[in-house]
Amino acid sequence: MRKIEVVQGILDANDATAEGNRATFDANGCLAVNIMASPGAGKTSFILRTIEGLSRDTRIAVIEGDMASTVDAEKVQGAASAVVQINTKGMPESCALVADMVHVALSRLPLDQLDVVLIENVGNLLCPAEFNLGEHLRIVVSSTPEGDDKPIKYPLIFADADAVVINKSDLLPYVDFDMDRFTQEVRNLNPRVRFFPLSCKTGEGVAEWVAWLHDQRPSG
Amino acid sequence: MRKIEVVQGILDANDATAEGNRATFDANGCLAVNIMASPGAGKTSFILRTIEGLSRDTRIAVIEGDMASTVDAEKVQGAASAVVQINTKGMPESCALVADMVHVALSRLPLDQLDVVLIENVGNLLCPAEFNLGEHLRIVVSSTPEGDDKPIKYPLIFADADAVVINKSDLLPYVDFDMDRFTQEVRNLNPRVRFFPLSCKTGEGVAEWVAWLHDQRPSG
C-alpha cells in the first residue's frame, strides 16, 4: 500500500517548497544563507560587509525581503552580482519571507554563476523563525542597543540559529548590554551555536565572520 | 429584512472582539493604550517612565505581551497597580497580540479601579499593525539606533499611529539617525501624528509625552 502524503496546513506546504529550493541551491553548488533580525539591527550593513569580505573569490546574490520599498535592494545593488527584491505587503503571509517567495526569486537569478545567496528576511524576530526557506544556514543578527534579554523573549529564532552575530559592538560603552548574559542565554537554547561580535560601522570583528562563512561553502 | 452579518475571516472576528474590549474600557472610564515597537526599542523602560510620570493621580495597569517569559511583567510589577502577562507562544497567531488575548486579560483586571491600561505589544513592526485590540491610542516607539528608514520599510504601523515616540535620544551622537528625515517620512504616511523624542535612560523629553497622555484621559 502506498503511503498517502497529507499536507497539513501552511507550514507543511512551506516545508515542501523549501525542500525544492534546497535541491535547487545544491544542484548549483550555491550556499544559501537566511539572515534574520529585528528592524534596525543592521542586516543590510551586515550584508554589505559580508559581500566586501567574501567577494574576491565569491560570486554573491542577495534576495531582499521587505514589507515595502526597495531601499535595501538599492543599497546592495552596486556590491552584489545580482539582487532580487521581494515586497511582502499584501501577501497572505506578510510577516516573514516564505519558501514560495524565495522560489520565485530563484527563477530570476543566474544560479549556475553564483556561489552564495544571501537572503535578507524582513525585520522580525518572531515569524521568520517558523518558515524554512530551503537555506543551508540560519543567521540571527542581534545588536547591542536591543538589550541582552532578547534570547529570553524570542527563544525560537535563537534556538534554530547556526550563528548569532552581535552587531554594533562600537556602541557597547553607551548601552546596557551584558555580553556574557546574552551568550549564556543563547547557549541555554542552542549549545552548538557560533557567536560573532562585530561592528559593521567600524569593521571590527567582520573578518572572523567572513572566514567562518567562507568555510561553509560546499567547495570549502 | 434583517441584515445578515458575515464574519469574513480572522481580521473581522478580531475587530468584533476589539469592539467589545473598547466598550468595556469605555464603561469603566479607562484609557487603553497599545504600545508597539521593534524588539529592544525600549517599550518596557518607556512604560516604567510613563507610570512614574503619571502615577501621582492616575491608577495604571499593564498588559504585557511576549512570545515567552515574564521578564517584562516582573520589571513593571512594582510600579503598576496591576499586571497581566500574556505569552503568545503556541497560540495560533503568535506574531502579535490579538483582541481575544486582551479580552481574557481584561477579566483579570479591576477595571473599575483603573484610569489607564497600557498594553505592551510583542516586539514586531509588522503584525501588530493588523490587529485592533480595542485601544483608544496606538503608540509606536522607535529608537535612534534602529535608523531613520523604518517608516519607509514598515509603513502600516506608522500610518495608523496616534503618536510616535523616538526613544534613545541620548544615543544620537553615536548613531546615524536623521531626525528630520524620520519625521518627514512618518508625516508622509500620517500627517496628524504627534512626535515625542525622548530618552528613557536620562528622562529627557519624558515630561512632554506624559503631559500629552494625561490630556487624552476621558476625564481630561
Side-chain angles (χ1 to χ4, degrees), chain B residues 36-38 40-43 125 139-147 150-151 157-158 163-169 177 182 186 196 198:
Chain B
M36 300 170 288
S38 301
K43 289 184 294 304
L125 290 185
I139 311 298
V140 176
V141 180
S142 271
S143 67
T144 60
E146 293 170 54
K150 293 300 146 298
I157 204 159
F158 288 96
V164 173
V165 170
I166 304 157
N167 190 20
K168 307 194 190 181
S169 61
F177 184 91
F182 178 88
V186 177
F196 296 98
L198 53 81

Side-chain angles (χ1 to χ4, degrees), chain B residues 121-187:
Chain B
N121 220 312
V122 299
N124 186 336
L125 290 185
L126 293 159
C127 316
E130 313 262 9
F131 292 95
N132 176 5
L133 306 179
E135 70 275 12
H136 300 95
L137 296 174
R138 295 172 73 79
I139 311 298
V140 176
V141 180
S142 271
S143 67
T144 60
E146 293 170 54
D148 50 33
D149 61 353
K150 293 300 146 298
I152 307 175
K153 297 170 72 178
Y154 305 91
L156 272 190
I157 204 159
F158 288 96
D160 266 355
D162 296 286
V164 173
V165 170
I166 304 157
N167 190 20
K168 307 194 190 181
S169 61
D170 54 291
L171 293 178
L172 276 170
Y174 314 112
V175 298
D176 300 321
F177 184 91
D178 182 333
M179 188 70 77
D180 289 340
R181 182 187 178 209
F182 178 88
T183 53
Q184 192 51 58
E185 293 292 357
V186 177
R187 279 206 188 92

Side-chain angles (χ1 to χ4, degrees), chain B residues 2-16:
Chain B
R2 285 176 58 191
K3 193 178 160 223
I4 296 172
E5 298 269 357
V6 182
V7 177
Q8 291 180 310
I10 189 167
L11 286 176
D12 276 6
N14 185 74
D15 278 347

